[in-house]
Amino acid sequence: MSNETLLEVEGLKTYFHIEGKVAKAVDGVDFSIDRGETVALVGESGSGKSITSMSIMQLIPSPPGKIEEGAIKLEGKDLLSLSEREMMKVRGNDIGMIFQEPMTSLNPVFTIGEQLAEPMVKHQGMNKKDAKKRAVELLKLVGFPRAEETVKEYPHQLSGGMRQRVMIAMAMSCDPKLLIADEPTTALDVTIQAQILDLMQDVKKKYNSAILIITHDLGVVAETSDRVLVMYGGQIVENASAKDLFTNPKHPYTVGLLNSMPDVADEKERLESIPGTVPPAHNFPDGCRFAPRCKHAMEACTEAVPKLRENEPNHHVRCILYEDQGGEKE
Ligand code: SF4
């Protein structure tokens, strides 16, 4: 894996202004992704992970949403300084996105072939004949044995798993540097899930690109990711290699997530769920946002939001239990 930084997100704040209230959906997020890396962004729904990915793509509905602060740099270029026209080029050429529900992303009135060919004609200047040929190749690559037929079909003629594979082919059609996959396998059965995840890894290796995978499923993380960012209350609460996170989780929220993960090896094991729910983004508690659900909470936890600190090399955690260990936030 190369250590070349591909994406840097610095101090990102994305707020929603609704009915006189401010929902701080993403509230000071910092991370980076290297070329060749697969990074997972995990957390329960409402933790801010999808808003983070939509902020990177600048697909936040505005109003009511707004990126208030921060920088999002792709190969050093700040995407937030680009015009919508320039950003459309980035979305077509540099960053591919796979959404959770492919039916809403595919246009029902165009064939699969037309939809695959269009961005290649538009963004890569390919002629229509070559783009059609490439569409067939891409469909074969994502596992359609009769791709010549599939290009003539419409989205409703395909199963959910097939549509998701079409979305991967579409996201790959411009050889993106970064593939963002938001819950890419949630609606699929386990066998198809595994195929889709393998396919994404193959594509990443082939193009030396990187993947940001957004998921609430730690099983998916264990299978795919080099590094994990755990999000809670619009902030990253732990950032570690996947190996460290699974063997040595530190933040009480991460520990809770791991304890609630089904262990297929032990069917009788009772799963512990984390009590309570993610607080609404317009009404975070004072201090640590996890405090109302944390069994280690103490008075000091409610006084100030803990900083994200490097507790061990390349292992950052936002919790006062670790404040005496390790260094300051970088
Ligand atoms: Fe729990 Fe306190 Fe750590 Fe927050 S800072 S996770 S409440 S121990």
Side-chain angles (χ1 to χ4, degrees):
M1 196 198 316
S2 122
N3 281 330
E4 198 187 324
T5 303
L6 180 67
L7 180 83
E8 288 165 282
V9 174
E10 294 168 0
L12 179 67
K13 291 189 179 179
T14 306
Y15 294 174
F16 287 79
H17 300 262
I18 303 168
E19 294 174 1
K21 292 179 185 161
V22 182
K24 298 181 176 180
V26 174
D27 198 19
V29 160
D30 297 271
F31 68 91
S32 64
I33 303 179
D34 289 345
R35 211 177 273 283
E37 229 186 354
T38 299
V39 174
L41 193 52
V42 302
E44 293 160 286
S45 64
S47 57
K49 49 194 200 311
S50 289
I51 303 295
T52 301
S53 70
M54 285 169 72
S55 301
I56 296 170
M57 295 294 274
Q58 287 181 53
L59 292 174
I60 296 291
S62 176
K66 189 172 174 225
I67 297 178
E68 309 272 343
E69 269 181 43
I72 298 170
K73 294 181 190 161
L74 187 73
E75 294 181 313
K77 181 167 70 178
D78 189 359
L79 301 183
L80 296 182
S81 66
L82 301 183
S83 65
E84 176 51 25
R85 203 187 162 87
E86 290 168 320
M87 195 56 214
M88 269 171 75
K89 273 195 199 153
V90 170
R91 286 196 286 262
N93 288 319
D94 299 326
I95 308 179
M97 187 146 184
I98 304 167
F99 294 95
Q100 183 171 354
E101 186 24 85
M103 203 56 193
T104 55
S105 323
L106 291 170
N107 192 326
V109 300
F110 292 108
T111 64
I112 299 299
E114 285 165 339
Q115 296 189 61
L116 271 168
E118 197 223 322
M120 293 187 269
V121 172
K122 207 162 144 193
H123 298 295
Q124 294 187 325
M126 250 188 216
N127 66 43
K128 281 191 178 162
K129 197 172 156 224
D130 286 349
K132 261 192 176 164
K133 216 171 126 202
R134 175 88 175 122
V136 171
E137 280 169 19
L138 283 166
L139 286 178
K140 285 195 172 150
L141 196 68
V142 297
F144 284 91
R146 29 181 287 284
E148 289 84 358
E149 299 303 312
T150 312
V151 284
K152 296 178 199 148
E153 290 175 340
Y154 290 87
H156 73 270
Q157 293 175 277
L158 306 181
S159 69
M162 287 160 122
R163 288 198 292 263
Q164 196 56 303
R165 279 188 278 152
V166 169
M167 284 303 297
I168 295 183
M170 206 176 256
M172 283 160 40
S173 63
C174 298
D175 307 343
K177 294 166 184 151
L178 175 67
L179 201 58
I180 298 181
D182 191 347
E183 304 278 8
T185 59
T186 303
L188 306 175
D189 77 43
V190 179
T191 320
I192 309 284
Q193 270 191 26
Q195 286 173 7
I196 299 281
L197 296 174
D198 284 350
L199 184 63
M200 285 170 46
Q201 295 296 332
D202 290 349
V203 171
K204 183 188 80 172
K205 271 188 215 140
K206 189 161 177 223
Y207 297 110
N208 191 27
S209 51
I211 298 176
L212 176 63
I213 186 163
I214 288 112
T215 182
H216 66 279
D217 183 342
L218 286 165
V220 167
V221 176
E223 259 177 62
T224 56
S225 305
D226 302 304
R227 205 150 45 83
V228 189
L229 312 168
V230 181
M231 257 191 112
Y232 190 84
Q235 298 177 325
I236 290 176
V237 296
E238 191 155 1
N239 175 349
S241 71
K243 190 166 165 265
D244 275 358
L245 194 100
F246 282 100
T247 54
N248 183 21
K250 293 184 185 293
H251 196 282
Y253 180 58
T254 312
V255 173
L257 283 180
L258 288 170
N259 286 344
S260 59
M261 189 178 162
D263 183 350
V264 280
D266 183 2
E267 285 176 15
K268 278 188 242 129
E269 187 193 32
R270 276 177 61 93
L271 299 179
E272 262 182 57
S273 62
I274 308 169
T277 51
V278 178
H282 64 269
N283 195 18
F284 287 134
D286 289 338
C288 172
R289 292 173 183 178
F290 187 58
R293 304 173 73 186
C294 179
K295 59 184 173 192
H296 305 287
M298 51 193 125
E299 213 180 314
C301 301
T302 60
E303 283 165 9
V305 176
K307 288 184 176 162
L308 186 69
R309 289 165 191 265
E310 188 167 28
N311 176 250
E312 283 170 16
N314 296 318
H315 194 150
H316 295 73
V317 60
R318 187 189 291 279
C319 171
I320 64 168
L321 295 177
Y322 302 93
E323 284 201 341
D324 295 339
Q325 307 161 23
E328 273 285 337
K329 170 186 179 273
E330 285 169 351

